[in-house]
Structures are given as structure tokens and as C-alpha cells.
Amino acid sequence: MPSKAEQESFLPSTPGKLKDKSHSMHRQFHRCFTSTSTMFLWALFLVALTAAYLSFQSFVDSGSKYFHTAWGGIQWEKQVRSSAQIRRQGGFSVLVTGAAGFVGSHVSLALKKRGDGVVGLDNFNDYYDPSLKKSRKNLLSSQGVFVVDGDINDARLLAKLFEIAPLSHVMHLAAQAGVRYAMENPHSYVHSNIAGLVTLLEACKKADPQPAVVWASSSSVYGLNEKAPFSESDRTDRPASLYAATKKAGEEITHTYNHIYGLSITGLRFFTVYGPWGRPDMAYFSFTRNILQGKPITIYRGKNRVELARDFTYIDDIVKGCVASLDTSKKSTGSGGKKRGPAQFRIFNLGNTSPVTVPMMVSLLEKHLKVKAKKHFLEMPGNGDVPFTHANISSAQIELGYKPTTDLQTGLRKFVRWYLSYYGYNHGKSLK
């Protein structure tokens, strides 16, 4: 801060001089702005300056997610090639997007275990605790799966991966999940589930040879459908949430790329996947946490106090369906963006076919945790949730050999065992 003497040196020596300078400056500004053309030029300059600043700020904001991600270089390429290396006869080299996610990590491990090459891609966003994603990444790394820290909207990164690795298949599991969060942050769903999907399909379209694509749609696309069980031939044009709408849009977008560019595409409609290493935003996960901490849980009911029901599907069964989809995928018929003939296009339900009410699920958790839940019942709000889900899996049974084998009681027991181990609980008490 300037000293008092320095501050005084900034002042005029007499009031008279200040007055004279003020009048002089006033006359100069008056002369400058008396001309209409001069005023217009100043205004134009200010508008241009503002526009330039806003454009630069927009560029920084949109690109910031890439600036922090370091990829490329000899060592990085070596890791990608090593991870993509096939170690079984007739094996695949698979790019798994969302590899540090719940389903993605399990599918990556299953593919690696049988000798397929696997390259993971994940942006490690903070929709839920990123430390859980980091733990999954460490687990994958211990099994030889390299997970690239990057975004599916980064076209340069995707092009580079296809350039340096012989990727025969893509298992696209990266997405912004969650029905309720869409009401808080709708743009994240468009960014990931629509823009990200298009960016990935563009990379697949340009690749030579083109990979076969398997991707995660959702049972949410059935929306307001009341016919049960849900069949792939049922209406899906009445989504109940923005999340469902983005997944429905994804199904239409993938059909377009299949039709125009010859990409072989299989869409999988998952039904309430649960199990070890699951997502903390899912009801069974958050209920477990709150029950152990002695906090009340909120159980929603439909109109007229109807219990909500879900077709809970254990992660191992979902993985079997994903792997079978890869195994039965036919080759894409395009090359460098040009289609040579019709390509395979399929959509399958992957569920358990045995809906269970939410209160029943809670009672099973209480049994395995040996702790009673403090229940708080509320009517289901208008947040996009649906009263029930129930999968018809006949198509997947016929074409994929899909057969779920884990009931909810068994699956929840395995989840609870993992949860207590991962978070350090012993008989409901923290060991930390």
C-alpha cells in the first residue's frame, strides 16, 4: 500500500489545478464524443471486445475438462497397446467406456480374465464419490487393464485410441446415470448420453475396420408403459424422465448410424443392476449406509399406497449378458464411414424377471445387516420414477443364451459382505 507521502504526491498541488485539469479533460471527452460516427465506433469496439471475451471464456469452460487430462506420449501408447493385447485364440480387443464405473469395471475384469484385450476409458466425474471409481481403477490395473483418464466427447482422444490399438469391439457403458439427478443437472445428461454417444459413434464410423458396438440403454425407456412384463416390442415413446428420454434418443441415434454407416450395434436395456462395487446413488446402497449409521430411510409408495417394485438384476448376470452380446455380434459392414451392406442391429432386455417390492428388499437388507431400519414412508414424488419394472427376457434367452441365476436374497448377501469389507464395518461398527 502506498505511504502517506506517496498518496499525497498523487494529488494536485492546489485545488485550482484540479479544476483546470477537470475542465480540460471534459473538453477533450466532449470533442471526442460529439461525433456520432465516433460514438458508433466506440460502441462497436466495446461489443467486439465483450464478444471476444465471452467466446474465450466459453472455450475455456468447454475445454477445461480436457486440459487436466494428460494422455499421449510413447509410454502412454505402450500402456494402451499392452492392455489391448489379445491373449486367447479368437479373442477380441475391446474398448470399454465407463470402465471405472459399476458395470464397466465388472465387464472389463470378465473380458480380461478370459484373455481378451481391454482398454478402459473413464472421465472419473464426481456424480458420486470418485474415490470408489479410483478403487475400481486400481483393481483393474492389478489385473492388467489400463484405464485412460479421458472423456468420450474428446474426439481426438478416441481417434488416437483407434489409431494405436486394434480395437475390434466397443462396449459403451459410459453415461450420466440416475433418474432424479436429471432434474438438477439436465445438461449433463445431454452432454454424456447424447453428445458423447454421437462422438463415440463418429469415431467408430471412421475407424478402419469399424468395430462392433454394444452399448447400455436402459429399462427406463419403457417409461409410462403399464403392460407387464416389458418386451422389446412395447412402446418406448413416452419417457417418464429426462434420463429415459436420452436413452431413447440413443436408441434412435444408434439405429441411424447402423442404417447409414453399417455399424453393427447391440443395445442392452438393463433392469436395476445391483451388487458389489455398486453405485452409491442406488437405493439398496444408500439404504445400507443409512441403516448402519442409524439414520432413517425413505421408502416411496405409489398412488393408493401401492408398493414400488423393481426387477433387481445381479451384476454377474448382467456381465454374462454383456459378454454374450459381444460374442454374438457380427462384424460391421462399413469401412472409413462407407457402408457396404446391411449391418446387425439388436436390442435386448437384461433383467431377472422376478420383480421384488422395495419393502421386501429392505427386509432382506435388515436380515443380512442384522440391524433394523428406521423407515419413513412417503408417496412417490413426480421425479421421473416409475412404479414398477419387469423384464421379458425371451429374446435374450434365445439369441444370447442369457439366463439369470442369482435371486435377490443371494445377491444382497454378497453385496453386504463386500460393503462391510470395503468400508471397514464389523457387526455394524466401524473399524476405522
Side-chain angles (χ1 to χ4, degrees):
M1 184 175 179
S3 64
K4 184 176 181 181
E6 289 173 327
Q7 291 178 26
E8 290 176 352
S9 70
F10 298 151
L11 300 175
S13 56
T14 67
K17 290 184 178 179
L18 176 63
K19 182 178 180 181
D20 290 343
K21 186 176 291 188
S22 175
H23 279 295
S24 175
M25 292 176 63
H26 178 74
R27 286 193 297 271
Q28 292 173 14
F29 277 101
H30 178 73
R31 284 195 300 270
C32 180
F33 286 102
T34 50
S35 168
T36 303
S37 61
T38 302
M39 292 179 66
F40 174 75
L41 290 174
W42 271 103
L44 188 62
F45 172 73
L46 290 173
V47 170
L49 189 63
T50 302
Y53 171 77
L54 292 176
S55 297
F56 175 76
Q57 190 64 40
S58 175
F59 168 76
V60 171
D61 291 343
S62 63
S64 62
K65 58 181 174 294
Y66 303 135
F67 295 157
H68 81 281
T69 302
W71 58 267
I74 296 176
Q75 184 58 32
W76 180 85
E77 290 187 14
K78 184 178 179 181
Q79 288 178 291
V80 171
R81 289 194 181 96
S82 176
S83 192
Q85 186 174 351
I86 300 170
R87 303 182 186 278
R88 70 178 178 95
Q89 187 174 4
F92 305 145
S93 183
V94 188
L95 171 64
V96 180
T97 70
F102 175 31
V103 179
S105 58
H106 282 272
V107 171
S108 296
L109 289 171
L111 293 173
K112 195 68 176 181
K113 184 178 180 180
R114 72 174 194 171
D116 290 320
V118 181
V119 178
L121 176 64
D122 205 292
N123 68 357
F124 297 92
N125 66 37
D126 60 358
Y127 168 60
Y128 61 80
D129 185 7
S131 67
L132 182 58
K133 300 178 184 180
K134 296 292 185 182
S135 294
R136 298 191 193 115
K137 178 184 178 181
N138 292 337
L139 178 61
L140 292 172
S141 179
S142 70
Q143 300 302 311
V145 178
F146 179 53
V147 181
V148 176
D149 187 345
D151 195 286
I152 55 172
N153 280 284
D154 190 342
R156 288 178 58 247
L157 169 58
L158 293 176
K160 189 66 176 178
L161 289 173
F162 279 105
E163 175 189 329
I164 63 178
L167 299 168
S168 60
H169 294 71
V170 171
M171 174 62 70
H172 178 45
L173 300 171
Q176 176 58 64
V179 169
R180 300 172 191 173
Y181 184 62
M183 299 181 71
E184 300 176 33
N185 189 2
H187 294 94
S188 67
Y189 288 79
V190 176
H191 175 80
S192 296
N193 302 357
I194 297 180
L197 175 61
V198 170
T199 304
L200 177 65
L201 292 176
E202 279 290 302
C204 294
K205 174 194 80 175
K206 296 172 184 176
D208 191 5
Q210 291 178 340
V213 179
V214 177
W215 74 289
S217 183
S218 170
S219 62
S220 295
V221 299
Y222 291 109
L224 302 178
N225 177 39
E226 296 180 352
K227 172 181 165 291
F230 299 162
S231 173
E232 292 90 345
S233 60
D234 290 344
R235 290 182 62 180
T236 56
D237 58 353
R238 296 182 298 167
S241 66
L242 178 63
Y243 169 69
T246 61
K247 286 299 184 178
K248 172 60 177 176
E251 292 187 352
E252 303 304 319
I253 290 168
T254 53
H255 182 274
T256 301
Y257 274 80
N258 166 267
H259 173 67
I260 298 177
Y261 303 112
L263 283 174
S264 171
I265 297 179
T266 302
L268 303 176
R269 294 172 178 171
F270 295 159
F271 281 72
T272 316
V273 190
Y274 74 100
W277 296 99
R279 281 179 20 220
D281 63 310
M282 297 288 285
Y284 74 96
F285 200 116
S286 61
F287 284 175
T288 299
R289 179 178 60 245
N290 288 347
I291 290 172
L292 287 171
Q293 294 176 356
K295 297 179 180 178
I297 62 173
T298 299
I299 301 176
Y300 291 113
R301 285 172 168 162
K303 294 180 179 179
N304 301 318
R305 300 173 68 85
V306 173
E307 304 291 2
L308 305 186
R310 292 290 181 269
D311 197 343
F312 294 99
T313 313
Y314 190 63
I315 182 61
D316 288 0
D317 291 326
I318 289 292
V319 169
K320 292 174 185 176
C322 290
V323 173
S325 297
L326 289 172
D327 288 342
T328 57
S329 290
K330 294 182 180 179
K331 291 184 178 180
S332 293
T333 62
S335 177
K338 295 182 180 179
K339 176 182 175 182
R340 295 192 300 270
Q344 183 184 56
F345 184 82
R346 309 177 295 174
I347 293 179
F348 296 112
N349 288 336
L350 292 187
N352 194 52
T353 75
S354 301
V356 176
T357 66
V358 175
M360 177 58 72
M361 181 266 284
V362 172
S363 69
L364 291 174
L365 280 177
E366 291 175 319
K367 175 183 175 182
H368 295 311
L369 293 169
K370 299 180 174 58
V371 181
K372 291 294 291 182
K374 299 175 182 177
K375 307 180 188 73
H376 181 49
F377 292 90
L378 283 179
E379 183 173 333
M380 183 176 66
N383 57 13
D385 270 336
V386 294
F388 71 95
T389 60
H390 185 184
N392 177 335
I393 61 170
S394 57
S395 292
Q397 286 175 320
I398 295 170
E399 296 195 42
L400 305 179
Y402 175 70
K403 184 179 180 181
T405 59
T406 306
D407 61 24
L408 184 59
Q409 175 164 315
T410 303
L412 284 179
R413 184 175 69 249
K414 293 180 178 180
F415 165 73
V416 167
R417 186 184 304 140
W418 167 83
Y419 187 98
L420 297 177
S421 172
Y422 182 80
Y423 288 103
Y425 281 87
N426 183 20
H427 303 298
K429 295 182 180 180
S430 175
L431 297 177
K432 295 179 180 179

